[in-house]
């Protein structure tokens, strides 16, 4: 039986910075009742969510590992807070052209080799780490933005792998390090 599952690919910080961002999201939930960003771990998406046959999951992982084997580690810096209108509050990502080239190559690989849809967000790539969205009350938006900005989260990240995340019970789980 064909069971379709939701996945996406992301850069996921490890260690203390991941904890700091998760704690920030928890504080936003408790102070402002905006909890939707907690449905996924802190991450920077490199391939938007897609649907794939769960029975072919191991083949998907093998093919992605093959693609990723050609890439050298990259470095990026997370610094500053920005928004997408009054809908999304995120930590800004400062990256070299390497990340944009990698994401473009990944997008093309996924379309060509995995028959995945080329999403608008894949074509207009803007790396970021979301800390609040979807359930932000309009009256609280500026308060949340100010709250996040006061945290002054800054982190340099060495990217040596990509994580496959899988949707389980309506929450995104770290599934496989590639």
């Amino acid at each position: 039986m064909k069971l379709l599952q939701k996945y996406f690919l992301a850069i996921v910080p490890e260690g203390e910075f991941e904890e700091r961002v998760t704690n920030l999201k928890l504080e936003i939930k408790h102070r402002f009742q905006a909890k939707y960003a907690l449905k996924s771990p802190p991450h920077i998406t490199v391939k938007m969510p897609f649907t794939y046959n769960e029975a072919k999951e191991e083949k998907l992982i093998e093919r992605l590992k093959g693609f990723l084997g050609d890439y050298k580690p990259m470095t990026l810096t997370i610094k500053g807070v920005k928004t997408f209108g009054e809908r999304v509050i995120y930590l800004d990502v400062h990256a070299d052209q390497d990340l944009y080239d990698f994401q473009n190559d990944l997008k093309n690989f996924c379309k060509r080799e995995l028959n995945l849809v080329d999403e608008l967000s894949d074509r207009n790539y803007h790396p970021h780490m979301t800390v609040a969205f979807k359930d932000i009350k309009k009256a609280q938006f500026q308060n949340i933005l100010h709250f996040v900005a006061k945290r002054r989260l800054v982190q340099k990240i060495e990217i040596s792998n990509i994580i496959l995340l899988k949707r389980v019970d309506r929450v995104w789980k770290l599934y496989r390090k590639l």
Side-chain angles (χ1 to χ4, degrees):
M1 184 170 103
K2 189 174 184 179
L3 178 62
L4 296 177
Q5 188 56 262
K6 295 280 279 187
Y7 302 89
F8 78 95
L9 296 164
I11 297 163
V12 178
E14 296 176 329
E16 187 225 339
F17 188 70
E18 183 275 333
E19 288 177 32
R20 289 175 60 204
V21 176
T22 298
N23 287 336
L24 174 63
K25 290 185 196 184
L26 287 167
E27 286 184 73
I28 291 168
K29 174 189 171 190
H30 295 301
R31 287 177 182 245
F32 305 101
Q33 293 70 52
K35 61 184 180 192
Y36 205 85
L38 285 164
K39 289 186 175 273
S40 63
H43 68 277
I44 301 160
T45 302
V46 290
K47 172 62 182 136
M48 291 301 292
F50 58 91
T51 304
Y52 205 81
N53 183 349
E54 194 171 32
K56 296 181 179 181
E57 190 175 83
E58 287 305 316
K59 187 168 274 195
L60 169 69
I61 290 166
E62 274 180 41
R63 295 181 84 184
L64 287 168
K65 281 184 175 180
F67 168 79
L68 294 168
D70 294 337
Y71 287 86
K72 298 179 191 126
M74 297 174 270
T75 303
L76 58 82
T77 301
I78 297 171
K79 179 181 180 184
V81 180
K82 292 193 175 178
T83 69
F84 293 128
E86 287 198 342
R87 304 175 290 113
V88 178
I89 298 171
Y90 63 88
L91 303 177
D92 198 21
V93 173
H94 302 263
D96 293 333
Q97 188 61 40
D98 291 355
L99 177 61
Y100 294 90
D101 293 344
F102 166 78
Q103 188 277 335
N104 189 58
D105 292 348
L106 176 62
K107 171 192 69 146
N108 291 331
F109 171 83
C110 288
K111 185 176 180 181
R112 185 181 63 249
E113 301 295 327
L114 303 174
N115 298 316
L116 299 180
V117 175
D118 188 11
E119 302 282 345
L120 179 62
S121 300
D122 290 328
R123 291 190 298 268
N124 298 314
Y125 187 60
H126 184 98
H128 64 280
M129 186 176 288
T130 301
V131 293
F133 75 118
K134 225 169 198 170
D135 60 351
I136 301 172
K137 292 176 183 74
K138 192 171 182 92
Q140 291 285 20
F141 190 88
Q142 289 300 321
N143 294 332
I144 298 171
L145 181 59
H146 182 69
F147 178 78
V148 174
K150 283 191 340 188
R151 295 298 175 273
R152 299 189 194 283
L153 290 172
V154 176
Q155 183 70 38
K156 192 171 197 170
I157 297 175
E158 180 85 17
I159 307 161
S160 56
N161 56 58
I162 300 298
I163 304 294
L164 178 66
L165 289 95
K166 183 176 183 177
R167 192 169 165 102
V168 178
D169 297 326
R170 301 172 57 163
V171 175
W172 290 102
K173 300 282 185 183
L174 301 177
Y175 188 63
R176 194 73 61 92
K177 189 181 282 194
L178 303 172

